[in-house]
Amino acid sequence: MVHFLYRLITVALLVLGSGAALGQSSEPANVAILLDVNGAIGPATSEYIRDGFEESRRRQAKLIVLRLNTPGGLDPSMREIIGEILKSTIPVISYVSPSGARAASAGTYIVYASHLAAMAPSTHLGAATPVQLGGGSGWRNDDKKDGEKKDGDKKGTPLPANAGEAKAINDAVAYIRGLAELRGRNVSWAEKAVREAATLTASEAQSQRVIEIVAKDLSDLLSQAEGRTVTINDQQVRLHTGSLSTTAIEADWRNRILATITNPNIAYILMLIGLYGLLFEFISPGAVFPGVIGGIALLVGLYALNLLPINYAGAGLLLLGIAMMVAEAFLPSFGVLGIGGVISFAVGSLFLFRGDVPGFHLSWPVVAAATIASAGFLVIALAAVWRAHQREVTTGEAALLRSAGQVLWWADGKGEVLVKGERWAAKSETEFTPGDRVRVLERQNLKLLVEPDPDASPKS
């Protein structure tokens, strides 16, 4: 019934929308859609761009402007965005803005993929080397003498340290060269941006045919794009942008939530909340609340981590650290397991994300706070265990032994005694009289072996 009502309402809205459209012009809207890419490029960014392009097609927009200010990001997300640009039937302009912004790493590839590329004054782009391959530590310089260099070698050019890195670098070079050739931009500088992490300012990029326009603002950009010709699906399209109005599309609630949980710090905290919540539930069954919160947080955290570049060795060290700290609480080892667990937890946290992908790493304060909190949990758990060991037993047979009691009646080495409010059959080699104080030595089935209580006051 609910599904039927949903379909009915949807059809009604479509009919109403169609009816309203009958009184309007069927011509495409004279509008340019503005999509802002601000910050690291990740799964939330690619979904936002995909939704923005779909909305632009629905509105029949004349132009899409990607306003970029990014340090780079994840390769899969970057390729999804470029895929949307390449298949778009609407012209796309990448615009690095405002002044002081950058389109580094993945942003450079997006600029090269766009039909037109523009930058604001005092911006820069480049440094497109895939840094997750190991940053500076995995590179060597070609320091051969000039006479020893091979043809095409450049002195001081960073070279990959092994075959795996060389393969990834060559793949990245081929990808950006293909984009440069498609858009008729500077191919040699594109390769240099990948191999040497080269960068350019706005004016340098324009003079070297990396971009076409340097514009101070959006209106200046649309004015300079007027009359230019771009290639869309092998067809030449002339742009008419001078009279376009600009409409910005903001990220919806779902995209904002995705952007929040795919922040490495948030995903890391969610995972820890989940693990500790479930741990508390296992320690204290029936608490319910820690288990419910922990289960939800762990599932959301694992979903976010699945979208991020995880180092499984780091994840293993982190989980091992938690396991060792928990083991210390149940199997005290004078702090050996606990200290090892804290160290493993901290190292695993630092290694949790692969490489040095811009915007996708844990911050030191978060790791330090999580490590201190985990160590605090360990101290609290150890203190509870120590108090439990020092506490006197109050139930069971262990509590009965060495307990004091009083003789109720006695004859021929046996009788009854009152111990902890209960009547027990008792025996002893000592003869007692009713009212004598005794102490329990042993329980033999349902009979107690007792002796005179040395702490009892002598009878007057």
Side-chain angles (χ1 to χ4, degrees), residues 299-447:
L299 288 176
V300 175
L302 291 176
Y303 170 76
L305 291 175
N306 180 60
L307 302 175
L308 298 175
I310 294 298
N311 183 324
Y312 291 104
L317 282 170
L318 188 149
L319 295 176
L320 176 63
I322 293 176
M324 292 172 70
M325 287 187 283
V326 172
E328 178 68 45
F330 291 98
L331 302 170
S333 60
F334 303 100
V336 175
L337 280 174
I339 294 173
V342 170
I343 294 173
S344 178
F345 180 90
V347 174
S349 298
L350 293 175
F351 291 166
L352 185 58
F353 294 96
R354 287 187 282 111
D356 187 25
V357 181
F360 289 91
H361 54 82
L362 288 176
S363 66
W364 280 90
V366 171
V367 173
T371 303
I372 293 172
S374 298
F377 164 77
L378 172 63
V379 171
I380 293 172
L382 287 177
V385 171
W386 176 256
R387 286 194 301 269
H389 278 286
Q390 297 300 310
R391 191 179 300 123
E392 204 173 298
V393 180
T394 58
T395 60
E397 183 174 353
L400 187 64
L401 299 180
R402 315 304 294 178
S403 297
Q406 185 176 12
V407 176
L408 298 178
W409 65 266
W410 197 268
D412 300 327
K414 61 183 178 181
E416 283 188 355
V417 295
L418 184 68
V419 179
K420 291 185 176 294
E422 297 178 333
R423 297 170 68 97
W424 285 86
K427 65 180 182 178
S428 176
E429 296 178 357
T430 305
E431 289 297 326
F432 299 105
T433 59
D436 287 346
R437 301 294 297 176
V438 295
R439 183 174 61 183
V440 178
L441 293 175
E442 184 181 345
R443 183 174 73 88
Q444 299 174 349
N445 296 324
L446 297 178
K447 186 173 288 188

Side-chain angles (χ1 to χ4, degrees), residues 200-236:
L200 290 175
T201 63
S203 57
E204 292 171 340
Q206 186 179 38
S207 66
Q208 295 192 36
R209 295 186 302 105
V210 173
I211 65 170
E212 289 78 34
I213 299 171
V214 175
K216 60 183 179 180
D217 53 32
L218 279 174
S219 57
D220 186 22
L221 172 65
L222 296 179
S223 175
Q224 292 193 51
E226 172 68 30
R228 293 179 181 266
T229 301
V230 298
T231 302
I232 301 177
N233 296 332
D234 297 327
Q235 294 184 354
Q236 298 294 310

Side-chain angles (χ1 to χ4, degrees), residues 80-168:
E80 288 181 15
I81 294 172
I82 291 176
E84 290 292 332
I85 295 173
L86 296 181
K87 70 181 183 182
S88 175
T89 57
I90 302 173
V92 178
I93 300 179
S94 287
Y95 180 38
V96 185
S97 176
S99 294
R102 58 177 170 167
S105 191
T108 302
Y109 290 81
I110 294 172
V111 168
Y112 262 89
S114 302
H115 300 100
L116 275 181
M119 298 174 68
S122 301
T123 59
H124 67 275
L125 84 168
T129 305
V131 293
Q132 64 266 31
L133 296 177
S137 61
W139 295 82
R140 59 187 174 86
N141 286 330
D142 185 5
D143 54 0
K144 300 174 185 177
K145 295 179 180 179
D146 292 344
E148 297 175 336
K149 291 192 297 180
K150 297 179 181 178
D151 293 340
D153 284 352
K154 293 182 179 180
K155 189 173 182 179
T157 300
L159 297 175
N162 54 58
E165 293 184 3
K167 181 179 179 180

Side-chain angles (χ1 to χ4, degrees), residues 162-200:
N162 54 58
E165 293 184 3
K167 181 179 179 180
I169 288 292
N170 290 335
D171 177 72
V173 167
Y175 189 50
I176 200 168
R177 284 179 64 93
L179 296 174
E181 292 172 356
L182 177 67
R183 301 306 185 197
R185 298 198 176 102
N186 190 324
V187 175
S188 62
W189 187 86
E191 180 171 350
K192 188 176 180 181
V194 175
R195 295 194 184 278
E196 303 178 27
T199 59
L200 290 175

